Amino acid sequence: MSSASTQATAASVQEENAYFSSNPPPKALANHMTLAREFINHQAELKRRVVLITSGGTTVPLEKQTVRFIDNFSAGTRGATSAEYFLEAGYSVIFLHRQFSLLPYSRHYSHSTDCFLDFMYEDANGSVVANPEHQEKMIRVLRKYNSAKKNRMLLMIPFTTITDYLHELRGIAQLMRPLGPDGLLYLAAAVSDFFVPADRMSEHKIQSTDATDSLKQQGPTTIAPARQKTAEEPDETFDNFDSSPAIPRSKRLIIDLDPVPKFLKNLVDGWAPEGMIVSFKLETDPAILVHKAKYSLNRYQHHLVIGNLLTTRKWEVVFVAPGQEKDKWVRVPRDRRRKSMSGREGLVGAADKDWVRDAPMDPALLPEGEPEMEIESLIIPAVKEFHDQHVERVRAKTAAE
């Protein structure tokens, strides 16, 4: 290893230690690590492959006793759906998910626009049964879920904040090291890029007015009479439709965020050095999608980066991997599409013309609604092919040594 590489690694380890020592772990971390260790050891005894799937968004608390936080749109659809297809492919799954985000199998009902109670009714005997029109699907999903539980192939561990997520990810990845190349990390969570360090975080709820200033001046037992507002002072309002002059800076909430340290390379260098690592890159600009995916690949040295656009993520993704002559596009086939969004038959196949090119699809040509098939049913078999190749390479290298 060169001197520059050694220094970079040392700096990365120092940054990692500084972050984890100054940002406390979740209270349930020790219990979660015990569950993960037992689960991984069981799979290793049975020589099963294990995939760690991260899913859902991470919150960024603004207070230690959190009332306000920053969040993102992720509901965990990609992760929860992928978990089911990984299980079908024979993998055991550790599902590290945002608490209350979508879960494997139950997602078919919790993500429905109908209330889950609409899937059931009370029969003449007072028993709760599934409505006839839903019974076939419900029994199919239930059997898959029960099979995963019975065979101890699914472990679900929740997180909430960005700090929770990083503590859990590091701990589980390190526990997976004995699996060697049979371990797969599928990082589908929407991870926050910025956070408020613990030493700069307010202990209590951030106040939106100066109503408590008198308490700070006179002590906790005295409440001063309300101060009368002068004619020159603006109203205490945060109404975006208010026509009053600009809110004074003293009344604004200005948040100073630090970048979350980039630990993705640490997965390769130390946390799970022989496991295969798959990460995702979501963009909104099609012109930079492949470029950003390749940038992530080179920066973090992962084995596969899956790029996807916000508008077409359920229709196509692009696989960017080292040594590929061409990027691999995974797309829903034309016979699983629906009618053209415009309703004009002449445009029904228009989007397909884009699919044969090595470029993102035009979302304006997509059918209305969602595809008739889940793109994860295509992504996971393709990922498995990459994983097969990874396992062969690592084992060949080990044998040669």
Side-chain angles (χ1 to χ4, degrees), residues 32-33 35-41 43 49-55 79 83 86-87 91-97 104 152-158 168-169 171-173 175-176 179 183-187:
H32 290 168
M33 291 306 101
L35 294 173
R37 184 181 297 105
E38 292 173 352
F39 183 84
I40 291 167
N41 290 342
Q43 311 310 320
R49 289 185 181 181
V50 177
V51 57
L52 167 61
I53 298 176
T54 68
S55 182
F86 269 116
L87 286 162
Y91 284 79
S92 293
V93 173
I94 301 176
F95 191 66
L96 180 60
H97 66 283
R152 294 180 61 185
M153 296 181 70
L154 177 61
L155 173 66
M156 295 192 278
I157 294 178
E168 301 277 9
L169 175 62
I172 297 172
L175 290 174
M176 291 176 66
L179 296 171
L184 172 62
L185 288 86
Y186 184 85
L187 309 178

Side-chain angles (χ1 to χ4, degrees), residues 245-263:
I247 301 298
R249 185 179 179 84
S250 62
K251 291 185 178 294
R252 301 175 192 168
L253 176 60
I254 300 173
I255 305 171
D256 187 14
L257 302 173
D258 282 4
V260 174
K262 297 298 185 181
F263 295 129

